[in-house]
Amino acid sequence: MSDQKIRNMEHFSAVCGISRPTVSKYFNDPESVRKSTREKIEAALKKYDYRPNIYAVNQNRRQTKNIGLVVPNLTDPFFAGIARTIEGLIVEAGFNPLLLSSHGGPEHEIANLDSLRSIKPAGVLLAPLGRASLEDQVAEFANEVPTVLFDANLGDVGEAYFGSDNTQSISLIVDYLCRSGEPPVFFEMKAPINPNAYKRRTAYKAAMGRLGYEPHLLQVDGQGWNFEEIGFREGARILTGRQLPTNTILCSNDRLAIGLLSAAFENGFKVGLGAEASLRIAGHDDHPFSRFTCPSLTTVSQDYEAIATRSVETILSLIDRGGRMQTREETLFEGKLVMRGSA
Amino acid sequence: MSDQKIRNMEHFSAVCGISRPTVSKYFNDPESVRKSTREKIEAALKKYDYRPNIYAVNQNRRQTKNIGLVVPNLTDPFFAGIARTIEGLIVEAGFNPLLLSSHGGPEHEIANLDSLRSIKPAGVLLAPLGRASLEDQVAEFANEVPTVLFDANLGDVGEAYFGSDNTQSISLIVDYLCRSGEPPVFFEMKAPINPNAYKRRTAYKAAMGRLGYEPHLLQVDGQGWNFEEIGFREGARILTGRQLPTNTILCSNDRLAIGLLSAAFENGFKVGLGAEASLRIAGHDDHPFSRFTCPSLTTVSQDYEAIATRSVETILSLIDRGGRMQTREETLFEGKLVMRGSA
DNA sequence: CGCTGTTATTTACGCGTGTAAACATTGTGA
DNA sequence: TCACAATGTTTACACGCGTAAATAACAGCG
């Protein structure tokens, strides 16, 4: 590695002994130049520390190589995990991921889209906040920039949507709970931010009806994204208060269940399957921490590998074909039952 | 809002009725132009949707307004939280944060620094992996770009370091544990990746010595960042195996403690303070989830507000004065005891 | 009113790259 | 050996903005 500083592509092409346009061609696609030329350039790259100025490149390219990735809340390990997977896939495809979190706030979500605008991304993968999203503004963005939604759907915004099949997954766990004990009540927030929550509620009612049971909703107050806190506080209220019609509680998501488990523990309930247990608790999502709750949480895992993979594939082909789909694709992936100690 | 598209600053300055260089001046600092001019520009901004091309701007400015923010692992809610706080502070200061996670991998850490290089950030806030970091390459980066370390120190890399005072915090909780029951053994990984872990080990030994007790280390095997998993697996082994010299276990961090609590639960140990409990467990960090463990986890909170604030202040003043400090600052912030149910 | 210092305009150039067109060179196969 | 296609070079322009220098307009003041 020589310590001579390369000023720009002109300079670099000079030390290569090759013209600048050819070097430019090389950086856009190494395969597009003759083998002997490629080798000369790569030898020089080993020797000198040069890389094209990204700002000059992006100013002149028709498209940047940037792909925006917006998740509702990075503090939630579930989203941190899926973001990581997606980032990896984007990098593999030769693009540059830009990760932004909306921190649970609709204004923040719009601010994220706004700052993505100035970066002129080739495409955007967006997991919207859901009900709280400022749909008009999100739709406007998706109109300007090729956008694929995942995790939560939002009207017909974007060119495609990939998420979980809540009907299937909730049906699956309701079925399991009924077969292995008493039919579950459904623990959820009264006004959830997430549209999946509504689908899960409906799916719960349908599943219970199909099995010949009366559905029973425990709808608790609570705002925002502090699900564990809400599950804990409202769970304690419910457990110590009125009588439940059954010993089994299915939570709308794992984070509520984690809070509820904590409340059950504090109030002396023994949670689990065995005869000595007085309560069964199940969740939904297979949150990274649900393996380590006490007892470990029975839940349904989302197929987030599939969601990530298909979302990335779709945005890439979308970019490839110039930004628009003929029809909006909506694909839901099935969940898998994860049987653990809590139910 | 007119729907006429503004092509560039030239065009925009035309509809403003002001020259382009003046408009350029406005965008660099709105206060630098006459009030009447400012009002004209702002009126036009309301009417037309224009913002300077970020690539053209950054190509010509001596400095970009970008500040890189690299954390070791975004999947860990602790880092997600501190990253969020830091992001907010950076935005407030009029800069543009770029969040990257090293996903626990040294090569990934270097790759992150490398991709930051091409973005030419004005400064970088780096929470390094620690022992696993490729120190030479990190140091080389810090030599090129004004860099402030936080959370984990790394030789004398960077212009400053802000972190927790492990000596104080460990001493604090050892003190508490000894006053409230039996003196603790120290549960940790044999070869931790985090340099803080070594400081905590040393601090534990010193604190025990000071109080007249024999220190006792439980050093378990385990690689990587799956601390809960390691805490669970090795915790189960320890709890069901050899006799412990005491009923109190202090974990090197909360994530190990979360795993250990889970293992204790599975193996029928009753954890807590009361007479009926057979085990006490404490952690370190006040992880977001430690409020919801069963029982809730007694721990020491890190003053991450202070770490975040001082780190950002420092990188900003560093940028302001041209990138170099006269001396490398190292400041440690005190932890606070968080007494909960587990010890 | 004219002076003075501040702010805006005009003009001009530079940043580092993409890209198109015309032309030159190279390698290939008949 | 020649023709042909593929690849490289040369030349030239464009992108959208920062910035400097010279000049012009302005506000405030006595």
Side-chain angles (χ1 to χ4, degrees), chain B residues 9 24 50 53 60:
Chain B
M9 194 181 279
S24 170
Y50 167 75
N53 180 309
N60 294 301

Side-chain angles (χ1 to χ4, degrees), chain A residues 104-122:
Chain A
E107 307 77 16
H108 214 123
E109 184 170 85
I110 300 303
N112 281 341
L113 297 182
D114 235 35
S115 76
L116 280 180
R117 251 188 269 257
S118 37
I119 283 161
K120 303 184 189 299

Side-chain angles (χ1 to χ4, degrees), chain B residues 195-207:
Chain B
N196 289 322
Y198 291 96
K199 293 202 189 143
R200 289 176 193 171
R201 176 190 299 170
T202 309
Y204 161 76
K205 288 197 238 173

Side-chain angles (χ1 to χ4, degrees), chain A residues 56-320:
Chain A
V57 169
N58 281 329
Q59 183 175 11
N60 294 300
R61 251 211 267 273
R62 309 187 192 291
Q63 285 236 40
T64 68
K65 282 284 198 178
N66 297 328
I67 293 184
L69 173 55
V70 183
V71 295
N73 201 342
L74 262 183
T75 306
D76 185 332
F78 175 81
F79 287 112
I82 197 168
R84 173 182 176 170
T85 304
I86 291 180
E87 267 190 338
L89 295 171
I90 291 177
V91 169
E92 244 177 60
F95 284 77
N96 177 231
L98 294 162
L99 176 58
L100 299 173
S101 161
S102 303
H103 303 311
E107 307 77 16
H108 214 123
E109 184 170 85
I110 300 303
N112 281 341
L113 297 182
D114 235 35
S115 76
L116 280 180
R117 251 188 269 257
S118 37
I119 283 161
K120 303 184 189 299
V124 168
L125 293 172
L126 168 63
L129 291 170
R131 205 176 56 99
S133 287
L134 305 170
E135 188 170 333
D136 288 354
Q137 296 185 53
V138 176
E140 199 183 319
F141 177 85
N143 234 17
E144 300 167 19
V145 181
T147 302
V148 167
L149 301 192
F150 68 99
D151 183 69
N153 207 348
L154 207 66
D156 60 347
V157 173
E159 305 296 311
Y161 166 70
F162 299 98
S164 288
D165 184 348
N166 292 295
T167 306
Q168 176 268 341
S169 59
I170 288 289
S171 166
L172 182 64
I173 194 157
V174 167
D175 221 19
Y176 163 75
L177 290 173
C178 290
R179 281 162 186 259
S180 56
E182 300 181 13
V185 298
F186 193 66
F187 183 79
E188 62 166 351
M189 286 163 72
K190 200 170 288 169
I193 8 92
N194 197 304
N196 289 323
Y198 291 96
K199 292 200 191 146
R200 288 176 194 171
R201 176 190 298 169
T202 308
Y204 162 76
K205 288 199 238 174
M208 290 290 278
R210 192 165 36 71
L211 295 171
Y213 296 113
E214 191 66 28
H216 190 105
L217 301 179
L218 292 177
Q219 301 191 318
V220 302
D221 287 322
Q223 295 293 323
W225 285 75
N226 296 315
F227 299 147
E228 294 87 1
E229 174 62 34
I230 293 167
F232 180 83
R233 190 186 61 226
E234 298 299 318
R237 228 168 40 77
I238 284 171
L239 291 173
T240 58
R242 63 182 131 146
Q243 203 62 24
L244 292 177
T246 154
N247 74 351
T248 303
I249 303 178
L250 171 59
C251 299
S252 182
N253 63 63
D254 277 2
R255 295 181 58 193
L256 279 173
I258 288 169
L260 178 59
L261 276 171
S262 180
F265 182 90
E266 296 254 308
N267 289 284
F269 287 84
K270 178 136 180 47
V271 177
L273 274 171
E276 72 281 7
S278 62
L279 195 61
R280 296 197 305 159
I281 292 177
H284 189 293
D285 291 346
D286 195 21
H287 190 283
F289 277 61
S290 52
R291 283 185 57 196
F292 303 103
T293 54
C294 302
S296 58
L297 183 63
T298 288
T299 183
V300 196
S301 69
Q302 294 195 40
D303 190 354
Y304 79 87
E305 280 284 352
I307 296 176
T309 308
R310 288 297 308 279
S311 300
V312 173
E313 282 172 3
T314 304
I315 196 68
L316 289 175
S317 85
L318 207 54
I319 291 169
D320 206 48

Side-chain angles (χ1 to χ4, degrees), chain A residues 9 24 50 53 60 62:
Chain A
M9 194 181 281
S24 171
Y50 167 75
N53 179 310
N60 294 300
R62 309 187 192 291

